[in-house]
Amino acid sequence: MYLYVLISLFLCQTPQSSYCLLPQLTGMVGLSKIPFVTLLLIFLGTQVNSDAYGHRYSIGDVVPIYANKVGPYSNRWEKYNYYDFPFCSPDSVHEKDNIGRMLTGESLVSTPFMIGFRVNKEHELSCKKRLNKSDVSLFRSMIKKGYQMQLYYDDLPIWGLIGSVERNYTDENKNKYFLYKHFKFGISYNKDRVFGVGLKEDPSSMVDVTNDMETDVDFTYSIYWGETKGKFEERLNDYSPSSILPLHINAHIHSIATSCFTIFIVIICLVIVIYTRFLHKDISRYTCDVEEAEVINNQEQKGWKNIHGDVFRFPEHKSLLSAALGSGTQLLALIVIILVLGVMGVFQPFVQVVFLKALVIIYAVTSVVSGYTTASFYHQLKGTTWIKNVLLTGGLYFVPVFLTFSVNAIFAVYNGQTDTFPLNSIITLFIVWIFLATPLLILGGIMGKNRASDFQAPCRTAKGPKKALKLVWYKGIIPQMVLAGFLPFSVIKIQIYDNLSAVWGHGIYTFYNSMAIMFVLLLIMTSLVSVMLTSFQLAVEDHEWWWRSFFNGGSTGLYVYGYGIYYYFYYYFLSDMNRDMNSFVPSFCFFGYMSCLAYGMFLALGTVGFCASLLFVRHIYTSVKCD
């Protein structure tokens, strides 16, 4: 239905079209088209909620416990299917899946734990199981590596250890390993809703699995209910002590203050540069005599005004530049909508499926933005093969990401680690891209082509290009990119660390307000730095600023990838905190996902840098008598 509404809104080749709903709807709400469509996308994102919303139960209603994955605590990205291990299972196992869980690799399966709402149980039997030698050896290996299981009850996560180790510190070969037989569930409720749940292992009820011998085990569990006055909407606040934000709140405040001060300094420097290089000579012309004015006029012809006939000459590879701008615009729209939803509280801690479901849907829907942007800009640059250009835009970011995830999934499945990125997620992404993102991309391309105007250049382009001067090495593109990415990256360094800790560690990120502020500061800093470097480039009569400004803006993505390398070697490879992360598959996945993140930031911030530079160049040449 949402797709039908969007297509109906955008089928507006003319305002008089009978299929066009956009003018009528925008007139009803009193908004222009762009704010209306933005609010519509945000509204659609808010409809993506956790399955737990609205859950109400009567006394005795069975609320099932689902099992998710099993894996070592030291590496949260090494996980295996629950029933790959000899746990108790019900007579009929069914799964609880949706697109979000498919993307995360979660496959919630039913368990033999039968819990009635507000019904206490004492030592209820899960199953009687005879463990053979291989089962005992497998459990012992799991306990030795610190495996834990993850369960879900009413969409609330629960973690429990498999067993415990009685260590012999003089000889590790004499360690004893014990498997837990009894679990205690403590559940709180408020009227007809579940508020919280906890799991405790019973150390008095264990079985020795140190030696490989067949063992008969009775697995049992107990249920204890308690009433609370906590509100259902606040039940996930109990997980906030796991949040990484309180540990760094002062660092966040200091980073925001420092970034604001740095932006203020950069603005002052930019104003000084513009004044000294572009305005000072024009002002001096009216304060000196005729002879001095002639001297100044001769001097200024050697500066930025001398290239007015080439500064708006269309760049090489204009189709690729248009596609990059389209992809970058789509990613910027995606980031803005995700941040708005995060600030609104849509994404709750540990409900990762909601975030990924929203991410996929919004990315597919915003394809219409990328199609419109790239086709419009490509048409302004006098491009002719707009269909190829639109298809290039659709694959410029998605195809590398899709291939990266596919290779990661193949390596993960080959090594038995199904949770890294499951194959059914690859198929799901491909279907969404083909049947949802691609039609919207083409639709946006048609709109952009039909609505595009001519490129507005304040200066007439000369017939023949002027040869660019040879610059010294430190004014080349590589040194400029190194300089351009440093300040913007300093704005988001703490955010990058916190997000990497949340994704690859055991912390959670709950404070989207700080992220939104940092993102705004990042956009401002990227724009200022790109404009300043573009002004330097024009001052030395280098008119090839189109691609240079895009690279300068996107260079922050290279810093992000470099920081990812540092983060991996410092926090994983050289530390014992997550010692299993330095195995091949998790390491391969880490660098693959980091490359996707850095590449996405390169496209998004490159678009910001180019647009800021384009506005700046148009502004400074508008007042120049070019012809």
Short mmCIF file of all heavy atoms in Angstrom, two decimals, residues 384-440:
data_model
loop_
_atom_site.label_atom_id
_atom_site.label_comp_id
_atom_site.label_asym_id
_atom_site.label_seq_id
_atom_site.Cartn_x
_atom_site.Cartn_y
_atom_site.Cartn_z
N THR A 384 23.14 12.50 -22.70
CA THR A 384 22.15 11.94 -23.62
C THR A 384 21.69 10.54 -23.20
O THR A 384 20.53 10.20 -23.41
CB THR A 384 22.73 11.88 -25.04
OG1 THR A 384 23.96 11.15 -25.03
CG2 THR A 384 22.98 13.28 -25.58
N THR A 385 22.55 9.73 -22.63
CA THR A 385 22.19 8.35 -22.27
C THR A 385 21.73 8.33 -20.81
O THR A 385 22.38 7.77 -19.93
CB THR A 385 23.38 7.41 -22.48
OG1 THR A 385 24.50 7.89 -21.72
CG2 THR A 385 23.76 7.37 -23.94
N TRP A 386 20.57 8.91 -20.55
CA TRP A 386 20.12 9.06 -19.17
C TRP A 386 19.69 7.74 -18.54
O TRP A 386 19.80 7.56 -17.32
CB TRP A 386 18.97 10.06 -19.11
CG TRP A 386 17.68 9.59 -19.71
CD1 TRP A 386 17.30 9.68 -21.01
CD2 TRP A 386 16.63 8.92 -19.01
NE1 TRP A 386 16.07 9.12 -21.19
CE2 TRP A 386 15.62 8.65 -19.96
CE3 TRP A 386 16.41 8.54 -17.70
CZ2 TRP A 386 14.44 8.00 -19.64
CZ3 TRP A 386 15.24 7.89 -17.37
CH2 TRP A 386 14.27 7.63 -18.33
N ILE A 387 19.23 6.79 -19.36
CA ILE A 387 18.83 5.49 -18.80
C ILE A 387 20.04 4.76 -18.22
O ILE A 387 20.00 4.23 -17.10
CB ILE A 387 18.14 4.64 -19.87
CG1 ILE A 387 16.85 5.31 -20.34
CG2 ILE A 387 17.85 3.24 -19.34
CD1 ILE A 387 16.10 4.53 -21.40
N LYS A 388 21.15 4.74 -18.98
CA LYS A 388 22.38 4.13 -18.46
C LYS A 388 22.86 4.86 -17.22
O LYS A 388 23.37 4.24 -16.28
CB LYS A 388 23.46 4.14 -19.54
CG LYS A 388 23.17 3.25 -20.73
CD LYS A 388 24.32 3.28 -21.72
CE LYS A 388 24.04 2.37 -22.92
NZ LYS A 388 25.16 2.42 -23.91
N ASN A 389 22.69 6.16 -17.23
CA ASN A 389 23.12 6.95 -16.08
C ASN A 389 22.32 6.59 -14.83
O ASN A 389 22.87 6.45 -13.73
CB ASN A 389 22.98 8.43 -16.39
CG ASN A 389 23.33 9.31 -15.21
OD1 ASN A 389 22.45 9.93 -14.61
ND2 ASN A 389 24.60 9.37 -14.85
N VAL A 390 21.01 6.42 -14.98
CA VAL A 390 20.17 6.06 -13.84
C VAL A 390 20.51 4.67 -13.33
O VAL A 390 20.60 4.43 -12.12
CB VAL A 390 18.68 6.16 -14.24
CG1 VAL A 390 17.80 5.55 -13.16
CG2 VAL A 390 18.29 7.60 -14.48
N LEU A 391 20.72 3.72 -14.23
CA LEU A 391 21.09 2.37 -13.81
C LEU A 391 22.47 2.36 -13.14
O LEU A 391 22.69 1.60 -12.18
CB LEU A 391 21.08 1.43 -15.01
CG LEU A 391 19.70 1.20 -15.66
CD1 LEU A 391 19.84 0.28 -16.87
CD2 LEU A 391 18.71 0.65 -14.66
N LEU A 392 23.38 3.18 -13.62
CA LEU A 392 24.68 3.31 -12.98
C LEU A 392 24.53 3.83 -11.55
O LEU A 392 25.21 3.37 -10.63
CB LEU A 392 25.58 4.24 -13.79
CG LEU A 392 26.95 4.57 -13.19
CD1 LEU A 392 27.80 3.30 -13.04
CD2 LEU A 392 27.68 5.60 -14.05
N THR A 393 23.62 4.77 -11.38
CA THR A 393 23.36 5.31 -10.05
C THR A 393 22.85 4.23 -9.10
O THR A 393 23.27 4.13 -7.95
CB THR A 393 22.34 6.45 -10.12
OG1 THR A 393 22.80 7.44 -11.04
CG2 THR A 393 22.11 7.07 -8.76
N GLY A 394 21.91 3.41 -9.60
CA GLY A 394 21.36 2.36 -8.77
C GLY A 394 22.38 1.34 -8.31
O GLY A 394 22.26 0.78 -7.22
N GLY A 395 23.38 1.08 -9.14
CA GLY A 395 24.38 0.08 -8.78
C GLY A 395 25.64 0.61 -8.18
O GLY A 395 26.49 -0.16 -7.72
N LEU A 396 25.80 1.94 -8.16
CA LEU A 396 27.07 2.51 -7.73
C LEU A 396 27.37 2.19 -6.27
O LEU A 396 28.53 1.94 -5.91
CB LEU A 396 27.05 4.04 -7.93
CG LEU A 396 28.39 4.74 -7.77
CD1 LEU A 396 29.39 4.25 -8.80
CD2 LEU A 396 28.22 6.25 -7.88
N TYR A 397 26.36 2.18 -5.42
CA TYR A 397 26.58 1.83 -4.02
C TYR A 397 26.04 0.45 -3.69
O TYR A 397 26.67 -0.32 -2.96
CB TYR A 397 25.92 2.86 -3.10
CG TYR A 397 26.18 2.58 -1.64
CD1 TYR A 397 27.44 2.78 -1.09
CD2 TYR A 397 25.17 2.11 -0.80
CE1 TYR A 397 27.69 2.51 0.24
CE2 TYR A 397 25.41 1.85 0.54
CZ TYR A 397 26.68 2.05 1.06
OH TYR A 397 26.92 1.79 2.38
N PHE A 398 24.89 0.11 -4.24
CA PHE A 398 24.27 -1.16 -3.87
C PHE A 398 25.09 -2.35 -4.32
O PHE A 398 25.24 -3.33 -3.57
CB PHE A 398 22.86 -1.24 -4.46
CG PHE A 398 22.16 -2.53 -4.13
CD1 PHE A 398 21.53 -2.68 -2.92
CD2 PHE A 398 22.14 -3.57 -5.05
CE1 PHE A 398 20.88 -3.87 -2.60
CE2 PHE A 398 21.50 -4.77 -4.75
CZ PHE A 398 20.87 -4.92 -3.52
N VAL A 399 25.61 -2.33 -5.54
CA VAL A 399 26.33 -3.49 -6.07
C VAL A 399 27.58 -3.81 -5.26
O VAL A 399 27.80 -4.97 -4.86
CB VAL A 399 26.66 -3.28 -7.56
CG1 VAL A 399 27.62 -4.37 -8.05
CG2 VAL A 399 25.38 -3.30 -8.39
N PRO A 400 28.47 -2.83 -4.94
CA PRO A 400 29.62 -3.17 -4.09
C PRO A 400 29.21 -3.68 -2.71
O PRO A 400 29.83 -4.63 -2.19
CB PRO A 400 30.38 -1.83 -3.98
CG PRO A 400 29.98 -1.06 -5.18
CD PRO A 400 28.56 -1.44 -5.44
N VAL A 401 28.18 -3.08 -2.12
CA VAL A 401 27.71 -3.55 -0.82
C VAL A 401 27.14 -4.96 -0.93
O VAL A 401 27.42 -5.83 -0.09
CB VAL A 401 26.66 -2.58 -0.25
CG1 VAL A 401 26.00 -3.16 1.00
CG2 VAL A 401 27.29 -1.24 0.08
N PHE A 402 26.36 -5.22 -1.96
CA PHE A 402 25.76 -6.54 -2.17
C PHE A 402 26.85 -7.59 -2.36
O PHE A 402 26.78 -8.69 -1.78
CB PHE A 402 24.83 -6.48 -3.38
CG PHE A 402 24.14 -7.77 -3.66
CD1 PHE A 402 22.99 -8.12 -2.95
CD2 PHE A 402 24.60 -8.64 -4.63
CE1 PHE A 402 22.34 -9.32 -3.21
CE2 PHE A 402 23.96 -9.83 -4.89
CZ PHE A 402 22.82 -10.18 -4.18
N LEU A 403 27.86 -7.29 -3.15
CA LEU A 403 28.95 -8.24 -3.37
C LEU A 403 29.74 -8.48 -2.09
O LEU A 403 30.13 -9.62 -1.79
CB LEU A 403 29.88 -7.72 -4.47
CG LEU A 403 29.28 -7.67 -5.89
CD1 LEU A 403 30.29 -7.08 -6.87
CD2 LEU A 403 28.84 -9.05 -6.34
N THR A 404 29.97 -7.41 -1.32
CA THR A 404 30.69 -7.56 -0.05
C THR A 404 29.94 -8.47 0.91
O THR A 404 30.51 -9.38 1.51
CB THR A 404 30.92 -6.18 0.61
OG1 THR A 404 31.67 -5.35 -0.27
CG2 THR A 404 31.67 -6.33 1.92
N PHE A 405 28.65 -8.22 1.06
CA PHE A 405 27.84 -9.05 1.95
C PHE A 405 27.77 -10.49 1.44
O PHE A 405 27.76 -11.43 2.24
CB PHE A 405 26.44 -8.48 2.06
CG PHE A 405 26.37 -7.27 2.94
CD1 PHE A 405 27.51 -6.69 3.46
CD2 PHE A 405 25.14 -6.72 3.28
CE1 PHE A 405 27.46 -5.58 4.27
CE2 PHE A 405 25.07 -5.60 4.09
CZ PHE A 405 26.23 -5.02 4.58
N SER A 406 27.71 -10.68 0.13
CA SER A 406 27.63 -12.03 -0.42
C SER A 406 28.90 -12.81 -0.13
O SER A 406 28.86 -13.97 0.28
CB SER A 406 27.38 -11.97 -1.94
OG SER A 406 26.17 -11.30 -2.22
N VAL A 407 30.05 -12.17 -0.34
CA VAL A 407 31.32 -12.84 -0.07
C VAL A 407 31.45 -13.15 1.43
O VAL A 407 31.88 -14.25 1.83
CB VAL A 407 32.50 -11.96 -0.54
CG1 VAL A 407 33.83 -12.56 -0.11
CG2 VAL A 407 32.47 -11.83 -2.06
N ASN A 408 31.05 -12.19 2.28
CA ASN A 408 31.08 -12.44 3.72
C ASN A 408 30.18 -13.61 4.10
O ASN A 408 30.53 -14.44 4.95
CB ASN A 408 30.65 -11.18 4.48
CG ASN A 408 31.71 -10.10 4.46
OD1 ASN A 408 32.85 -10.34 4.08
ND2 ASN A 408 31.34 -8.90 4.85
N ALA A 409 28.99 -13.67 3.49
CA ALA A 409 28.06 -14.75 3.80
C ALA A 409 28.62 -16.10 3.37
O ALA A 409 28.46 -17.10 4.08
CB ALA A 409 26.72 -14.48 3.11
N ILE A 410 29.27 -16.14 2.21
CA ILE A 410 29.85 -17.40 1.73
C ILE A 410 30.93 -17.89 2.69
O ILE A 410 30.96 -19.07 3.07
CB ILE A 410 30.41 -17.21 0.31
CG1 ILE A 410 29.27 -16.97 -0.68
CG2 ILE A 410 31.22 -18.43 -0.11
CD1 ILE A 410 29.72 -16.61 -2.07
N PHE A 411 31.81 -16.98 3.12
CA PHE A 411 32.85 -17.37 4.06
C PHE A 411 32.25 -17.80 5.39
O PHE A 411 32.71 -18.75 6.02
CB PHE A 411 33.82 -16.21 4.29
CG PHE A 411 34.91 -16.13 3.26
CD1 PHE A 411 34.85 -15.20 2.24
CD2 PHE A 411 35.99 -16.97 3.31
CE1 PHE A 411 35.84 -15.11 1.28
CE2 PHE A 411 37.00 -16.91 2.37
CZ PHE A 411 36.93 -15.99 1.35
N ALA A 412 31.19 -17.10 5.82
CA ALA A 412 30.58 -17.43 7.11
C ALA A 412 29.91 -18.80 7.06
O ALA A 412 30.06 -19.60 7.98
CB ALA A 412 29.56 -16.36 7.49
N VAL A 413 29.16 -19.07 5.99
CA VAL A 413 28.49 -20.37 5.86
C VAL A 413 29.51 -21.49 5.73
O VAL A 413 29.35 -22.58 6.30
CB VAL A 413 27.53 -20.34 4.66
CG1 VAL A 413 26.97 -21.73 4.38
CG2 VAL A 413 26.40 -19.36 4.90
N TYR A 414 30.58 -21.22 4.99
CA TYR A 414 31.63 -22.23 4.83
C TYR A 414 32.25 -22.61 6.16
O TYR A 414 32.63 -23.77 6.38
CB TYR A 414 32.70 -21.70 3.87
CG TYR A 414 33.85 -22.66 3.64
CD1 TYR A 414 33.69 -23.75 2.77
CD2 TYR A 414 35.07 -22.49 4.28
CE1 TYR A 414 34.73 -24.64 2.56
CE2 TYR A 414 36.12 -23.37 4.07
CZ TYR A 414 35.94 -24.44 3.21
OH TYR A 414 36.97 -25.32 3.00
N ASN A 415 32.33 -21.65 7.07
CA ASN A 415 32.91 -21.91 8.39
C ASN A 415 31.86 -22.20 9.45
O ASN A 415 32.16 -22.26 10.63
CB ASN A 415 33.76 -20.72 8.84
CG ASN A 415 35.06 -20.60 8.07
OD1 ASN A 415 36.08 -21.17 8.42
ND2 ASN A 415 35.01 -19.85 6.96
N GLY A 416 30.59 -22.32 9.02
CA GLY A 416 29.53 -22.68 9.95
C GLY A 416 29.01 -21.55 10.79
O GLY A 416 28.25 -21.78 11.74
N GLN A 417 29.37 -20.31 10.49
CA GLN A 417 28.93 -19.15 11.27
C GLN A 417 27.76 -18.50 10.53
O GLN A 417 27.92 -17.58 9.74
CB GLN A 417 30.07 -18.18 11.49
CG GLN A 417 31.22 -18.79 12.25
CD GLN A 417 32.37 -17.83 12.46
OE1 GLN A 417 32.22 -16.63 12.34
NE2 GLN A 417 33.53 -18.36 12.79
N THR A 418 26.57 -18.99 10.79
CA THR A 418 25.40 -18.58 10.02
C THR A 418 24.91 -17.19 10.36
O THR A 418 24.10 -16.63 9.63
CB THR A 418 24.26 -19.57 10.25
OG1 THR A 418 23.97 -19.62 11.66
CG2 THR A 418 24.66 -20.96 9.80
N ASP A 419 25.35 -16.62 11.48
CA ASP A 419 24.78 -15.35 11.92
C ASP A 419 25.46 -14.14 11.30
O ASP A 419 24.96 -13.02 11.40
CB ASP A 419 24.88 -15.24 13.45
CG ASP A 419 24.09 -14.07 13.99
OD1 ASP A 419 22.86 -14.08 13.83
OD2 ASP A 419 24.71 -13.15 14.54
N THR A 420 26.61 -14.32 10.67
CA THR A 420 27.34 -13.17 10.15
C THR A 420 26.52 -12.41 9.13
O THR A 420 26.35 -11.21 9.20
CB THR A 420 28.67 -13.64 9.53
OG1 THR A 420 29.40 -14.37 10.52
CG2 THR A 420 29.49 -12.47 9.06
N PHE A 421 26.01 -13.10 8.14
CA PHE A 421 25.06 -12.51 7.19
C PHE A 421 24.49 -13.66 6.37
O PHE A 421 25.13 -14.16 5.46
CB PHE A 421 25.75 -11.50 6.27
CG PHE A 421 24.80 -10.47 5.75
CD1 PHE A 421 24.50 -9.35 6.51
CD2 PHE A 421 24.18 -10.63 4.54
CE1 PHE A 421 23.62 -8.40 6.04
CE2 PHE A 421 23.28 -9.69 4.06
CZ PHE A 421 23.01 -8.58 4.82
N PRO A 422 23.29 -14.13 6.70
CA PRO A 422 22.76 -15.36 6.12
C PRO A 422 22.43 -15.21 4.65
O PRO A 422 22.15 -14.12 4.16
CB PRO A 422 21.49 -15.62 6.95
CG PRO A 422 21.11 -14.27 7.47
CD PRO A 422 22.38 -13.51 7.67
N LEU A 423 22.42 -16.33 3.95
CA LEU A 423 22.16 -16.32 2.51
C LEU A 423 20.75 -15.87 2.19
O LEU A 423 20.51 -15.23 1.16
CB LEU A 423 22.42 -17.72 1.95
CG LEU A 423 23.88 -18.18 1.91
CD1 LEU A 423 23.98 -19.59 1.38
CD2 LEU A 423 24.70 -17.23 1.05
N ASN A 424 19.78 -16.18 3.06
CA ASN A 424 18.42 -15.73 2.77
C ASN A 424 18.31 -14.21 2.84
O ASN A 424 17.44 -13.62 2.20
CB ASN A 424 17.42 -16.38 3.73
CG ASN A 424 17.73 -16.08 5.19
OD1 ASN A 424 18.76 -15.51 5.50
ND2 ASN A 424 16.83 -16.48 6.07
N SER A 425 19.21 -13.57 3.58
CA SER A 425 19.24 -12.11 3.60
C SER A 425 19.71 -11.56 2.27
O SER A 425 19.22 -10.52 1.81
CB SER A 425 20.16 -11.62 4.72
OG SER A 425 19.72 -12.10 5.97
N ILE A 426 20.68 -12.25 1.66
CA ILE A 426 21.15 -11.82 0.33
C ILE A 426 20.01 -11.87 -0.67
O ILE A 426 19.80 -10.95 -1.46
CB ILE A 426 22.31 -12.73 -0.12
CG1 ILE A 426 23.45 -12.71 0.91
CG2 ILE A 426 22.82 -12.29 -1.48
CD1 ILE A 426 24.11 -11.39 1.09
N ILE A 427 19.24 -12.95 -0.63
CA ILE A 427 18.11 -13.08 -1.55
C ILE A 427 17.06 -12.01 -1.27
O ILE A 427 16.49 -11.41 -2.20
CB ILE A 427 17.50 -14.50 -1.44
CG1 ILE A 427 18.56 -15.54 -1.80
CG2 ILE A 427 16.28 -14.64 -2.32
CD1 ILE A 427 18.10 -16.97 -1.59
N THR A 428 16.81 -11.75 0.00
CA THR A 428 15.83 -10.73 0.36
C THR A 428 16.24 -9.35 -0.15
O THR A 428 15.42 -8.62 -0.72
CB THR A 428 15.64 -10.68 1.89
OG1 THR A 428 15.25 -11.97 2.35
CG2 THR A 428 14.61 -9.64 2.29
N LEU A 429 17.50 -9.00 0.07
CA LEU A 429 18.00 -7.71 -0.42
C LEU A 429 17.87 -7.60 -1.93
O LEU A 429 17.49 -6.55 -2.46
CB LEU A 429 19.45 -7.52 0.00
CG LEU A 429 19.71 -7.07 1.43
CD1 LEU A 429 21.21 -6.93 1.66
CD2 LEU A 429 19.03 -5.75 1.73
N PHE A 430 18.20 -8.68 -2.63
CA PHE A 430 18.14 -8.65 -4.09
C PHE A 430 16.70 -8.46 -4.56
O PHE A 430 16.43 -7.69 -5.49
CB PHE A 430 18.71 -9.95 -4.64
CG PHE A 430 18.82 -9.97 -6.14
CD1 PHE A 430 19.81 -9.25 -6.79
CD2 PHE A 430 17.91 -10.69 -6.91
CE1 PHE A 430 19.91 -9.26 -8.17
CE2 PHE A 430 18.00 -10.71 -8.29
CZ PHE A 430 19.01 -9.99 -8.92
N ILE A 431 15.75 -9.12 -3.91
CA ILE A 431 14.34 -8.98 -4.29
C ILE A 431 13.85 -7.56 -4.03
O ILE A 431 13.14 -6.97 -4.85
CB ILE A 431 13.49 -10.02 -3.53
CG1 ILE A 431 13.82 -11.43 -4.01
CG2 ILE A 431 12.00 -9.73 -3.70
CD1 ILE A 431 13.13 -12.52 -3.23
N VAL A 432 14.22 -7.02 -2.86
CA VAL A 432 13.81 -5.65 -2.54
C VAL A 432 14.39 -4.67 -3.55
O VAL A 432 13.72 -3.72 -3.98
CB VAL A 432 14.24 -5.28 -1.11
CG1 VAL A 432 14.04 -3.80 -0.84
CG2 VAL A 432 13.46 -6.10 -0.10
N TRP A 433 15.65 -4.88 -3.94
CA TRP A 433 16.30 -3.97 -4.89
C TRP A 433 15.65 -4.06 -6.27
O TRP A 433 15.45 -3.04 -6.93
CB TRP A 433 17.78 -4.31 -4.98
CG TRP A 433 18.56 -3.37 -5.84
CD1 TRP A 433 18.75 -2.03 -5.65
CD2 TRP A 433 19.27 -3.70 -7.04
NE1 TRP A 433 19.54 -1.50 -6.65
CE2 TRP A 433 19.86 -2.51 -7.52
CE3 TRP A 433 19.47 -4.87 -7.75
CZ2 TRP A 433 20.63 -2.47 -8.68
CZ3 TRP A 433 20.24 -4.84 -8.90
CH2 TRP A 433 20.81 -3.64 -9.36
N ILE A 434 15.30 -5.28 -6.70
CA ILE A 434 14.74 -5.47 -8.04
C ILE A 434 13.30 -4.97 -8.12
O ILE A 434 12.93 -4.23 -9.05
CB ILE A 434 14.81 -6.95 -8.46
CG1 ILE A 434 16.28 -7.35 -8.71
CG2 ILE A 434 13.99 -7.19 -9.72
CD1 ILE A 434 16.93 -6.66 -9.87
N PHE A 435 12.48 -5.31 -7.16
CA PHE A 435 11.04 -5.08 -7.28
C PHE A 435 10.56 -3.81 -6.56
O PHE A 435 9.41 -3.41 -6.75
CB PHE A 435 10.26 -6.28 -6.74
CG PHE A 435 10.45 -7.52 -7.56
CD1 PHE A 435 11.31 -8.53 -7.13
CD2 PHE A 435 9.79 -7.68 -8.77
CE1 PHE A 435 11.49 -9.67 -7.88
CE2 PHE A 435 9.97 -8.82 -9.53
CZ PHE A 435 10.83 -9.82 -9.09
N LEU A 436 11.40 -3.19 -5.75
CA LEU A 436 10.99 -1.97 -5.08
C LEU A 436 11.92 -0.81 -5.40
O LEU A 436 11.48 0.25 -5.88
CB LEU A 436 10.92 -2.18 -3.56
CG LEU A 436 10.50 -0.95 -2.74
CD1 LEU A 436 9.12 -0.47 -3.17
CD2 LEU A 436 10.52 -1.28 -1.25
N ALA A 437 13.22 -0.99 -5.16
CA ALA A 437 14.16 0.12 -5.35
C ALA A 437 14.32 0.49 -6.82
O ALA A 437 14.31 1.68 -7.16
CB ALA A 437 15.52 -0.26 -4.74
N THR A 438 14.46 -0.50 -7.69
CA THR A 438 14.69 -0.21 -9.11
C THR A 438 13.51 0.51 -9.76
O THR A 438 13.70 1.49 -10.49
CB THR A 438 15.03 -1.50 -9.87
OG1 THR A 438 16.20 -2.09 -9.28
CG2 THR A 438 15.31 -1.20 -11.33
N PRO A 439 12.25 0.07 -9.57
CA PRO A 439 11.13 0.84 -10.16
C PRO A 439 11.08 2.28 -9.65
O PRO A 439 10.83 3.21 -10.45
CB PRO A 439 9.90 0.05 -9.71
CG PRO A 439 10.38 -1.33 -9.51
CD PRO A 439 11.76 -1.18 -8.97
N LEU A 440 11.32 2.49 -8.36
CA LEU A 440 11.33 3.85 -7.84
C LEU A 440 12.50 4.65 -8.39
O LEU A 440 12.39 5.86 -8.62
CB LEU A 440 11.37 3.82 -6.31
CG LEU A 440 10.10 3.31 -5.62
CD1 LEU A 440 10.32 3.25 -4.12
CD2 LEU A 440 8.92 4.20 -5.95
#
